[in-house]
Amino acid sequence: MTTHKNLLGGPEPTYLPENEEAWRLLGEESQPPVEVAAKHPTFSLAWAMLAEDAFEAGRVVESYAYARTGYHRGLDALRRAGWKGHGPVPWDHRANRGFLRCLAALARAAGEINEKDETERCWQFLKDSSAEAYDELKR
């Protein structure tokens, strides 16, 4: 991955580390996200998948809880990767997608339970982190 000097003086993009074992479990072994989350609780993508599945099934509070868990696990990972609370989290980096999907899932579920401030905060956070993710995930 090539990094370029940021001429505008803002923070550099944050790239979360890959979890190859969790990806293998989801992909090659076709393990359900609930099992992957149990084995790799810091893997935000599994939480995002659980949140999205629960939301689609009408279990909004459950979706909110899954999304909140993955979101906080993602924040922890971002901070460990050097993120200082703002700056780009690129959508095109596979390991970032779990956090970004959790953020969108949290916004969506918060909207369904009429938590307006949280909904707006999460959508704005997503847009500020990755305009590409925002365009892809905001439906």
Side-chain angles (χ1 to χ4, degrees), residues 1 14-19 23 26 42-52 66-67 70-71 73-75 77-78 88-106 108 123 126 129-139:
M1 187 169 316
T14 302
Y15 299 99
L16 293 174
E18 291 284 354
N19 183 333
W23 280 104
L26 280 175
T42 62
F43 187 59
S44 289
L45 181 62
W47 296 106
M49 294 170 78
L50 290 167
E52 292 162 355
Y66 286 137
Y71 164 79
R73 287 307 184 98
L75 285 177
L78 284 168
V89 181
W91 173 251
D92 63 359
H93 180 65
R94 181 176 81 157
N96 290 351
R97 288 189 175 199
F99 167 74
L100 295 167
R101 284 173 60 179
C102 280
L103 190 51
L106 184 57
R108 204 170 289 113
W123 284 126
L126 180 62
S129 297
S130 172
E132 186 179 4
Y134 178 84
D135 291 343
E136 178 77 21
L137 298 171
K138 184 141 191 322
R139 351 177 179 117

Short mmCIF file of all heavy atoms in Angstrom, two decimals, residues 1 14-19 23 26 42-52 66-67 70-71 73-75 77-78 88-106 108 123 126 129-139:
data_model
loop_
_atom_site.label_atom_id
_atom_site.label_comp_id
_atom_site.label_asym_id
_atom_site.label_seq_id
_atom_site.Cartn_x
_atom_site.Cartn_y
_atom_site.Cartn_z
N MET A 1 0.84 -1.16 0.00
CA MET A 1 0.00 0.00 0.00
C MET A 1 0.89 1.24 0.00
O MET A 1 1.79 1.35 0.81
CB MET A 1 -0.89 -0.05 1.24
CG MET A 1 -1.92 1.01 1.28
SD MET A 1 -3.13 0.73 2.59
CE MET A 1 -3.48 -0.99 2.44
N THR A 14 -6.11 6.16 8.32
CA THR A 14 -5.86 5.06 9.25
C THR A 14 -6.26 3.75 8.57
O THR A 14 -7.36 3.64 8.02
CB THR A 14 -6.66 5.26 10.55
OG1 THR A 14 -6.28 6.50 11.13
CG2 THR A 14 -6.37 4.14 11.54
N TYR A 15 -5.36 2.79 8.64
CA TYR A 15 -5.57 1.47 8.06
C TYR A 15 -5.52 0.44 9.18
O TYR A 15 -4.46 0.24 9.78
CB TYR A 15 -4.51 1.16 7.01
CG TYR A 15 -4.51 2.15 5.86
CD1 TYR A 15 -3.61 3.20 5.82
CD2 TYR A 15 -5.44 2.02 4.84
CE1 TYR A 15 -3.63 4.12 4.78
CE2 TYR A 15 -5.46 2.93 3.78
CZ TYR A 15 -4.56 3.97 3.76
OH TYR A 15 -4.57 4.87 2.73
N LEU A 16 -6.66 -0.18 9.46
CA LEU A 16 -6.69 -1.20 10.50
C LEU A 16 -5.94 -2.44 10.04
O LEU A 16 -5.89 -2.74 8.85
CB LEU A 16 -8.14 -1.56 10.83
CG LEU A 16 -8.94 -0.45 11.49
CD1 LEU A 16 -10.40 -0.86 11.64
CD2 LEU A 16 -8.35 -0.11 12.84
N PRO A 17 -5.35 -3.17 10.99
CA PRO A 17 -4.67 -4.41 10.62
C PRO A 17 -5.69 -5.48 10.20
O PRO A 17 -6.82 -5.50 10.68
CB PRO A 17 -3.94 -4.81 11.90
CG PRO A 17 -4.66 -4.13 13.00
CD PRO A 17 -5.26 -2.88 12.42
N GLU A 18 -5.25 -6.34 9.33
CA GLU A 18 -6.10 -7.45 8.87
C GLU A 18 -6.17 -8.54 9.94
O GLU A 18 -5.23 -8.73 10.69
CB GLU A 18 -5.51 -8.06 7.59
CG GLU A 18 -5.60 -7.16 6.38
CD GLU A 18 -6.99 -7.07 5.77
OE1 GLU A 18 -7.91 -7.80 6.21
OE2 GLU A 18 -7.15 -6.25 4.86
N ASN A 19 -7.28 -9.23 9.97
CA ASN A 19 -7.44 -10.42 10.80
C ASN A 19 -7.71 -11.57 9.84
O ASN A 19 -8.87 -11.90 9.53
CB ASN A 19 -8.58 -10.24 11.80
CG ASN A 19 -8.73 -11.43 12.73
OD1 ASN A 19 -8.38 -12.55 12.37
ND2 ASN A 19 -9.27 -11.20 13.91
N TRP A 23 -11.25 -13.64 8.65
CA TRP A 23 -11.68 -13.64 7.24
C TRP A 23 -11.78 -15.07 6.71
O TRP A 23 -12.71 -15.41 5.98
CB TRP A 23 -10.70 -12.84 6.38
CG TRP A 23 -10.93 -11.37 6.45
CD1 TRP A 23 -10.19 -10.46 7.14
CD2 TRP A 23 -11.97 -10.62 5.82
NE1 TRP A 23 -10.71 -9.20 6.99
CE2 TRP A 23 -11.80 -9.28 6.18
CE3 TRP A 23 -13.03 -10.97 4.99
CZ2 TRP A 23 -12.66 -8.26 5.73
CZ3 TRP A 23 -13.88 -9.96 4.55
CH2 TRP A 23 -13.69 -8.63 4.91
N LEU A 26 -14.97 -16.75 8.01
CA LEU A 26 -16.16 -16.29 7.31
C LEU A 26 -16.21 -16.80 5.88
O LEU A 26 -17.27 -17.19 5.39
CB LEU A 26 -16.21 -14.75 7.27
CG LEU A 26 -16.68 -14.03 8.50
CD1 LEU A 26 -16.54 -12.52 8.32
CD2 LEU A 26 -18.11 -14.39 8.85
N THR A 42 -12.98 -8.87 18.60
CA THR A 42 -12.52 -7.54 18.15
C THR A 42 -12.70 -7.35 16.64
O THR A 42 -12.38 -6.29 16.12
CB THR A 42 -11.03 -7.33 18.50
OG1 THR A 42 -10.25 -8.31 17.82
CG2 THR A 42 -10.81 -7.41 19.99
N PHE A 43 -13.23 -8.35 15.94
CA PHE A 43 -13.41 -8.31 14.49
C PHE A 43 -14.74 -7.64 14.18
O PHE A 43 -15.80 -8.26 14.19
CB PHE A 43 -13.34 -9.73 13.94
CG PHE A 43 -13.35 -9.83 12.45
CD1 PHE A 43 -12.37 -9.22 11.68
CD2 PHE A 43 -14.33 -10.56 11.80
CE1 PHE A 43 -12.37 -9.34 10.29
CE2 PHE A 43 -14.34 -10.68 10.42
CZ PHE A 43 -13.36 -10.07 9.67
N SER A 44 -14.70 -6.35 13.88
CA SER A 44 -15.93 -5.56 13.69
C SER A 44 -16.81 -6.05 12.56
O SER A 44 -18.03 -5.87 12.61
CB SER A 44 -15.58 -4.08 13.46
OG SER A 44 -15.10 -3.49 14.63
N LEU A 45 -16.23 -6.65 11.53
CA LEU A 45 -17.07 -7.10 10.42
C LEU A 45 -18.11 -8.12 10.87
O LEU A 45 -19.26 -8.08 10.43
CB LEU A 45 -16.21 -7.67 9.28
CG LEU A 45 -17.02 -8.15 8.08
CD1 LEU A 45 -17.79 -6.99 7.44
CD2 LEU A 45 -16.12 -8.82 7.07
N ALA A 46 -17.75 -9.02 11.76
CA ALA A 46 -18.72 -10.01 12.24
C ALA A 46 -19.87 -9.31 12.96
O ALA A 46 -21.04 -9.66 12.76
CB ALA A 46 -18.04 -11.02 13.17
N TRP A 47 -19.56 -8.29 13.76
CA TRP A 47 -20.60 -7.53 14.45
C TRP A 47 -21.47 -6.77 13.46
O TRP A 47 -22.69 -6.68 13.62
CB TRP A 47 -19.99 -6.58 15.47
CG TRP A 47 -19.28 -7.28 16.57
CD1 TRP A 47 -17.92 -7.38 16.75
CD2 TRP A 47 -19.87 -8.03 17.65
NE1 TRP A 47 -17.65 -8.14 17.87
CE2 TRP A 47 -18.82 -8.54 18.44
CE3 TRP A 47 -21.18 -8.31 18.01
CZ2 TRP A 47 -19.05 -9.31 19.57
CZ3 TRP A 47 -21.41 -9.08 19.14
CH2 TRP A 47 -20.35 -9.57 19.90
N ALA A 48 -20.86 -6.22 12.41
CA ALA A 48 -21.62 -5.51 11.38
C ALA A 48 -22.60 -6.46 10.69
O ALA A 48 -23.76 -6.10 10.45
CB ALA A 48 -20.66 -4.88 10.37
N MET A 49 -22.12 -7.64 10.36
CA MET A 49 -22.98 -8.62 9.70
C MET A 49 -24.15 -9.02 10.60
O MET A 49 -25.29 -9.13 10.13
CB MET A 49 -22.16 -9.83 9.29
CG MET A 49 -21.12 -9.52 8.22
SD MET A 49 -19.96 -10.87 7.93
CE MET A 49 -20.99 -11.93 6.93
N LEU A 50 -23.88 -9.21 11.89
CA LEU A 50 -24.94 -9.53 12.83
C LEU A 50 -25.95 -8.38 12.93
O LEU A 50 -27.17 -8.61 12.95
CB LEU A 50 -24.35 -9.83 14.21
CG LEU A 50 -23.58 -11.13 14.32
CD1 LEU A 50 -22.78 -11.18 15.63
CD2 LEU A 50 -24.52 -12.33 14.21
N ALA A 51 -25.45 -7.15 12.98
CA ALA A 51 -26.32 -5.98 13.06
C ALA A 51 -27.19 -5.85 11.81
O ALA A 51 -28.40 -5.58 11.91
CB ALA A 51 -25.48 -4.72 13.26
N GLU A 52 -26.58 -6.05 10.66
CA GLU A 52 -27.33 -5.93 9.40
C GLU A 52 -28.39 -7.02 9.29
O GLU A 52 -29.53 -6.75 8.87
CB GLU A 52 -26.36 -5.98 8.22
CG GLU A 52 -25.45 -4.77 8.16
CD GLU A 52 -24.20 -4.95 7.31
OE1 GLU A 52 -23.94 -6.07 6.82
OE2 GLU A 52 -23.47 -3.95 7.15
N TYR A 66 -25.66 -5.01 18.51
CA TYR A 66 -24.55 -5.56 17.72
C TYR A 66 -23.71 -4.44 17.11
O TYR A 66 -22.48 -4.48 17.14
CB TYR A 66 -25.06 -6.46 16.60
CG TYR A 66 -25.57 -7.81 17.03
CD1 TYR A 66 -26.76 -8.31 16.47
CD2 TYR A 66 -24.88 -8.61 17.93
CE1 TYR A 66 -27.23 -9.57 16.82
CE2 TYR A 66 -25.35 -9.86 18.29
CZ TYR A 66 -26.52 -10.33 17.73
OH TYR A 66 -26.98 -11.58 18.07
N ALA A 67 -24.39 -3.47 16.52
CA ALA A 67 -23.67 -2.36 15.87
C ALA A 67 -22.86 -1.56 16.89
O ALA A 67 -21.72 -1.19 16.62
CB ALA A 67 -24.66 -1.45 15.14
N GLY A 70 -19.68 -3.59 17.77
CA GLY A 70 -18.69 -3.52 16.70
C GLY A 70 -18.09 -2.15 16.52
O GLY A 70 -16.89 -2.00 16.23
N TYR A 71 -18.90 -1.13 16.71
CA TYR A 71 -18.44 0.25 16.63
C TYR A 71 -17.37 0.53 17.70
O TYR A 71 -16.30 1.05 17.40
CB TYR A 71 -19.65 1.18 16.80
CG TYR A 71 -19.33 2.61 17.11
CD1 TYR A 71 -18.92 3.49 16.12
CD2 TYR A 71 -19.48 3.10 18.41
CE1 TYR A 71 -18.66 4.82 16.41
CE2 TYR A 71 -19.22 4.42 18.70
CZ TYR A 71 -18.81 5.28 17.71
OH TYR A 71 -18.55 6.59 18.00
N ARG A 73 -15.57 -1.70 19.37
CA ARG A 73 -14.39 -2.52 19.10
C ARG A 73 -13.57 -1.88 17.98
O ARG A 73 -12.35 -1.88 18.00
CB ARG A 73 -14.80 -3.95 18.73
CG ARG A 73 -15.31 -4.75 19.93
CD ARG A 73 -14.27 -4.69 21.05
NE ARG A 73 -14.55 -5.46 22.20
CZ ARG A 73 -14.08 -6.66 22.45
NH1 ARG A 73 -13.34 -7.30 21.59
NH2 ARG A 73 -14.37 -7.26 23.58
N GLY A 74 -14.25 -1.32 16.98
CA GLY A 74 -13.57 -0.63 15.90
C GLY A 74 -12.85 0.63 16.36
O GLY A 74 -11.72 0.91 15.93
N LEU A 75 -13.49 1.40 17.24
CA LEU A 75 -12.83 2.59 17.79
C LEU A 75 -11.56 2.21 18.53
O LEU A 75 -10.52 2.88 18.39
CB LEU A 75 -13.76 3.36 18.73
CG LEU A 75 -14.88 4.17 18.11
CD1 LEU A 75 -15.74 4.79 19.22
CD2 LEU A 75 -14.35 5.24 17.17
N ALA A 77 -9.69 -0.39 17.99
CA ALA A 77 -8.69 -0.79 16.98
C ALA A 77 -8.12 0.43 16.26
O ALA A 77 -6.91 0.50 16.00
CB ALA A 77 -9.32 -1.76 15.98
N LEU A 78 -8.97 1.39 15.93
CA LEU A 78 -8.49 2.61 15.27
C LEU A 78 -7.48 3.34 16.15
O LEU A 78 -6.43 3.79 15.66
CB LEU A 78 -9.66 3.54 14.93
CG LEU A 78 -10.51 3.14 13.74
CD1 LEU A 78 -11.79 3.96 13.71
CD2 LEU A 78 -9.73 3.32 12.44
N PRO A 88 -9.32 10.37 7.88
CA PRO A 88 -9.85 9.36 6.97
C PRO A 88 -9.65 7.93 7.44
O PRO A 88 -8.61 7.58 7.99
CB PRO A 88 -9.07 9.60 5.67
CG PRO A 88 -8.11 10.69 5.92
CD PRO A 88 -8.24 11.16 7.32
N VAL A 89 -10.69 7.14 7.20
CA VAL A 89 -10.67 5.70 7.44
C VAL A 89 -11.14 5.09 6.11
O VAL A 89 -12.33 4.91 5.90
CB VAL A 89 -11.61 5.30 8.61
CG1 VAL A 89 -11.57 3.80 8.85
CG2 VAL A 89 -11.26 6.07 9.88
N PRO A 90 -10.22 4.85 5.20
CA PRO A 90 -10.59 4.51 3.82
C PRO A 90 -11.42 3.23 3.67
O PRO A 90 -11.09 2.18 4.22
CB PRO A 90 -9.23 4.33 3.12
CG PRO A 90 -8.28 5.12 3.94
CD PRO A 90 -8.77 4.99 5.35
N TRP A 91 -12.51 3.36 2.92
CA TRP A 91 -13.40 2.26 2.61
C TRP A 91 -12.72 1.19 1.76
O TRP A 91 -13.00 0.01 1.89
CB TRP A 91 -14.63 2.81 1.88
CG TRP A 91 -15.59 1.81 1.35
CD1 TRP A 91 -15.80 1.51 0.03
CD2 TRP A 91 -16.51 1.00 2.08
NE1 TRP A 91 -16.78 0.56 -0.08
CE2 TRP A 91 -17.24 0.23 1.16
CE3 TRP A 91 -16.77 0.84 3.45
CZ2 TRP A 91 -18.21 -0.69 1.55
CZ3 TRP A 91 -17.75 -0.07 3.83
CH2 TRP A 91 -18.46 -0.81 2.89
N ASP A 92 -11.78 1.60 0.92
CA ASP A 92 -11.15 0.64 0.02
C ASP A 92 -10.16 -0.29 0.73
O ASP A 92 -9.69 -1.25 0.13
CB ASP A 92 -10.49 1.32 -1.18
CG ASP A 92 -9.36 2.25 -0.80
OD1 ASP A 92 -9.06 2.42 0.39
OD2 ASP A 92 -8.76 2.83 -1.73
N HIS A 93 -9.89 -0.04 2.00
CA HIS A 93 -9.04 -0.94 2.79
C HIS A 93 -9.96 -1.95 3.48
O HIS A 93 -10.77 -1.60 4.34
CB HIS A 93 -8.22 -0.13 3.80
CG HIS A 93 -7.31 -0.98 4.64
ND1 HIS A 93 -6.26 -1.69 4.13
CD2 HIS A 93 -7.33 -1.23 5.97
CE1 HIS A 93 -5.65 -2.34 5.10
NE2 HIS A 93 -6.28 -2.07 6.23
N ARG A 94 -9.86 -3.20 3.09
CA ARG A 94 -10.77 -4.26 3.56
C ARG A 94 -10.95 -4.29 5.07
O ARG A 94 -12.08 -4.43 5.57
CB ARG A 94 -10.27 -5.61 3.05
CG ARG A 94 -11.14 -6.77 3.44
CD ARG A 94 -10.64 -8.07 2.85
NE ARG A 94 -9.54 -8.62 3.63
CZ ARG A 94 -9.20 -9.89 3.62
NH1 ARG A 94 -9.84 -10.75 2.85
NH2 ARG A 94 -8.19 -10.32 4.35
N ALA A 95 -9.89 -4.13 5.83
CA ALA A 95 -9.98 -4.23 7.29
C ALA A 95 -10.76 -3.07 7.91
O ALA A 95 -11.26 -3.20 9.03
CB ALA A 95 -8.58 -4.30 7.90
N ASN A 96 -10.91 -1.96 7.20
CA ASN A 96 -11.68 -0.82 7.72
C ASN A 96 -13.18 -1.00 7.55
O ASN A 96 -13.97 -0.34 8.21
CB ASN A 96 -11.27 0.47 7.01
CG ASN A 96 -9.89 0.95 7.38
OD1 ASN A 96 -9.25 0.42 8.28
ND2 ASN A 96 -9.41 1.94 6.67
N ARG A 97 -13.57 -1.88 6.67
CA ARG A 97 -14.99 -1.98 6.31
C ARG A 97 -15.89 -2.43 7.45
O ARG A 97 -17.05 -2.02 7.53
CB ARG A 97 -15.16 -2.87 5.10
CG ARG A 97 -14.67 -2.19 3.84
CD ARG A 97 -15.02 -2.95 2.61
NE ARG A 97 -14.61 -2.17 1.45
CZ ARG A 97 -15.08 -2.36 0.25
NH1 ARG A 97 -15.97 -3.31 0.04
NH2 ARG A 97 -14.67 -1.62 -0.75
N GLY A 98 -15.40 -3.28 8.34
CA GLY A 98 -16.23 -3.72 9.46
C GLY A 98 -16.63 -2.54 10.34
O GLY A 98 -17.79 -2.39 10.69
N PHE A 99 -15.64 -1.71 10.69
CA PHE A 99 -15.94 -0.53 11.51
C PHE A 99 -16.92 0.38 10.79
O PHE A 99 -17.91 0.84 11.37
CB PHE A 99 -14.66 0.24 11.85
CG PHE A 99 -14.95 1.59 12.42
CD1 PHE A 99 -15.42 1.74 13.71
CD2 PHE A 99 -14.79 2.74 11.65
CE1 PHE A 99 -15.73 2.99 14.24
CE2 PHE A 99 -15.08 3.99 12.17
CZ PHE A 99 -15.55 4.11 13.47
N LEU A 100 -16.67 0.66 9.52
CA LEU A 100 -17.52 1.58 8.76
C LEU A 100 -18.94 1.02 8.61
O LEU A 100 -19.92 1.76 8.73
CB LEU A 100 -16.89 1.88 7.41
CG LEU A 100 -15.56 2.64 7.50
CD1 LEU A 100 -14.84 2.62 6.14
CD2 LEU A 100 -15.73 4.05 8.01
N ARG A 101 -19.05 -0.27 8.40
CA ARG A 101 -20.38 -0.89 8.33
C ARG A 101 -21.09 -0.85 9.67
O ARG A 101 -22.32 -0.66 9.72
CB ARG A 101 -20.27 -2.32 7.80
CG ARG A 101 -20.03 -2.36 6.29
CD ARG A 101 -19.76 -3.74 5.76
NE ARG A 101 -20.82 -4.69 5.99
CZ ARG A 101 -20.78 -5.95 5.58
NH1 ARG A 101 -19.72 -6.40 4.91
NH2 ARG A 101 -21.79 -6.78 5.83
N CYS A 102 -20.36 -1.02 10.76
CA CYS A 102 -20.97 -0.90 12.09
C CYS A 102 -21.48 0.51 12.33
O CYS A 102 -22.56 0.70 12.89
CB CYS A 102 -19.96 -1.28 13.18
SG CYS A 102 -19.78 -3.05 13.42
N LEU A 103 -20.72 1.48 11.90
CA LEU A 103 -21.12 2.88 12.06
C LEU A 103 -22.43 3.15 11.30
O LEU A 103 -23.36 3.77 11.84
CB LEU A 103 -19.99 3.79 11.58
CG LEU A 103 -20.08 5.27 11.85
CD1 LEU A 103 -20.37 5.58 13.30
CD2 LEU A 103 -18.78 5.93 11.41
N ALA A 104 -22.54 2.64 10.07
CA ALA A 104 -23.77 2.80 9.30
C ALA A 104 -24.92 2.03 9.95
O ALA A 104 -26.05 2.54 10.03
CB ALA A 104 -23.56 2.33 7.87
N ALA A 105 -24.65 0.82 10.41
CA ALA A 105 -25.69 0.02 11.05
C ALA A 105 -26.19 0.69 12.33
O ALA A 105 -27.39 0.66 12.64
CB ALA A 105 -25.17 -1.39 11.35
N LEU A 106 -25.27 1.30 13.07
CA LEU A 106 -25.65 2.01 14.29
C LEU A 106 -26.53 3.21 13.95
O LEU A 106 -27.55 3.45 14.60
CB LEU A 106 -24.40 2.44 15.06
CG LEU A 106 -24.61 3.12 16.39
CD1 LEU A 106 -25.44 2.25 17.35
CD2 LEU A 106 -23.26 3.46 17.02
N ARG A 108 -28.44 3.57 11.34
CA ARG A 108 -29.72 3.07 10.85
C ARG A 108 -30.61 2.60 12.01
O ARG A 108 -31.79 2.97 12.09
CB ARG A 108 -29.45 1.91 9.89
CG ARG A 108 -30.52 1.65 8.89
CD ARG A 108 -30.08 0.64 7.82
NE ARG A 108 -29.10 1.25 6.93
CZ ARG A 108 -27.81 0.89 6.85
NH1 ARG A 108 -27.34 -0.09 7.58
NH2 ARG A 108 -27.00 1.49 6.01
N TRP A 123 -24.13 9.22 11.07
CA TRP A 123 -24.04 9.45 9.62
C TRP A 123 -22.96 10.47 9.30
O TRP A 123 -22.20 10.30 8.34
CB TRP A 123 -25.38 9.87 9.03
CG TRP A 123 -26.38 8.77 8.88
CD1 TRP A 123 -27.65 8.76 9.35
CD2 TRP A 123 -26.22 7.52 8.18
NE1 TRP A 123 -28.28 7.57 9.02
CE2 TRP A 123 -27.42 6.80 8.29
CE3 TRP A 123 -25.15 6.93 7.49
CZ2 TRP A 123 -27.60 5.53 7.73
CZ3 TRP A 123 -25.33 5.66 6.93
CH2 TRP A 123 -26.53 4.99 7.05
N LEU A 126 -19.56 8.87 9.72
CA LEU A 126 -19.27 8.01 8.58
C LEU A 126 -18.84 8.85 7.38
O LEU A 126 -17.84 8.54 6.73
CB LEU A 126 -20.49 7.17 8.23
CG LEU A 126 -20.32 6.22 7.05
CD1 LEU A 126 -19.24 5.18 7.33
CD2 LEU A 126 -21.65 5.54 6.73
N SER A 129 -15.39 10.20 7.89
CA SER A 129 -14.37 9.15 7.87
C SER A 129 -14.12 8.64 6.46
O SER A 129 -12.98 8.38 6.07
CB SER A 129 -14.79 7.97 8.75
OG SER A 129 -14.90 8.38 10.09
N SER A 130 -15.20 8.47 5.69
CA SER A 130 -15.09 7.94 4.34
C SER A 130 -16.33 8.32 3.53
O SER A 130 -17.38 7.71 3.70
CB SER A 130 -14.94 6.42 4.36
OG SER A 130 -15.00 5.90 3.05
N ALA A 131 -16.17 9.30 2.67
CA ALA A 131 -17.28 9.69 1.80
C ALA A 131 -17.72 8.52 0.93
O ALA A 131 -18.91 8.35 0.65
CB ALA A 131 -16.90 10.90 0.95
N GLU A 132 -16.77 7.69 0.52
CA GLU A 132 -17.09 6.53 -0.30
C GLU A 132 -17.97 5.54 0.47
O GLU A 132 -18.96 5.03 -0.05
CB GLU A 132 -15.81 5.84 -0.77
CG GLU A 132 -16.05 4.71 -1.73
CD GLU A 132 -14.75 4.05 -2.21
OE1 GLU A 132 -13.66 4.41 -1.75
OE2 GLU A 132 -14.88 3.15 -3.04
N ALA A 133 -17.63 5.28 1.74
CA ALA A 133 -18.44 4.39 2.57
C ALA A 133 -19.83 4.99 2.78
O ALA A 133 -20.84 4.28 2.72
CB ALA A 133 -17.76 4.14 3.91
N TYR A 134 -19.88 6.27 3.03
CA TYR A 134 -21.16 6.96 3.23
C TYR A 134 -22.05 6.77 2.00
O TYR A 134 -23.22 6.39 2.12
CB TYR A 134 -20.91 8.44 3.51
CG TYR A 134 -22.16 9.26 3.69
CD1 TYR A 134 -22.80 9.33 4.93
CD2 TYR A 134 -22.69 9.97 2.63
CE1 TYR A 134 -23.94 10.09 5.10
CE2 TYR A 134 -23.84 10.73 2.79
CZ TYR A 134 -24.45 10.79 4.03
OH TYR A 134 -25.60 11.53 4.19
N ASP A 135 -21.49 7.01 0.82
CA ASP A 135 -22.27 6.85 -0.41
C ASP A 135 -22.71 5.41 -0.61
O ASP A 135 -23.82 5.16 -1.08
CB ASP A 135 -21.45 7.31 -1.63
CG ASP A 135 -21.24 8.81 -1.65
OD1 ASP A 135 -21.95 9.55 -0.95
OD2 ASP A 135 -20.31 9.25 -2.38
N GLU A 136 -21.87 4.48 -0.25
CA GLU A 136 -22.16 3.06 -0.43
C GLU A 136 -23.20 2.55 0.59
O GLU A 136 -24.07 1.73 0.24
CB GLU A 136 -20.87 2.25 -0.27
CG GLU A 136 -21.02 0.78 -0.39
CD GLU A 136 -21.18 0.28 -1.82
OE1 GLU A 136 -20.79 1.01 -2.76
OE2 GLU A 136 -21.72 -0.82 -1.99
N LEU A 137 -23.14 3.03 1.82
CA LEU A 137 -23.92 2.45 2.90
C LEU A 137 -25.19 3.20 3.28
O LEU A 137 -26.08 2.63 3.91
CB LEU A 137 -23.03 2.30 4.14
CG LEU A 137 -21.83 1.38 3.97
CD1 LEU A 137 -20.91 1.48 5.19
CD2 LEU A 137 -22.26 -0.05 3.72
N LYS A 138 -25.26 4.48 2.95
CA LYS A 138 -26.46 5.24 3.33
C LYS A 138 -27.57 4.92 2.35
O LYS A 138 -27.49 5.24 1.19
CB LYS A 138 -26.19 6.74 3.36
CG LYS A 138 -27.40 7.52 3.85
CD LYS A 138 -26.97 8.65 4.71
CE LYS A 138 -28.02 9.35 5.48
NZ LYS A 138 -29.25 9.67 5.16
N ARG A 139 -28.57 4.25 2.82
CA ARG A 139 -29.71 3.92 1.97
C ARG A 139 -30.98 4.41 2.61
O ARG A 139 -31.16 4.57 3.72
CB ARG A 139 -29.88 2.42 1.72
CG ARG A 139 -28.80 1.55 2.17
CD ARG A 139 -29.12 0.09 1.91
NE ARG A 139 -27.99 -0.68 2.35
CZ ARG A 139 -28.04 -1.56 3.33
NH1 ARG A 139 -29.13 -1.82 3.97
NH2 ARG A 139 -26.97 -2.21 3.68
#
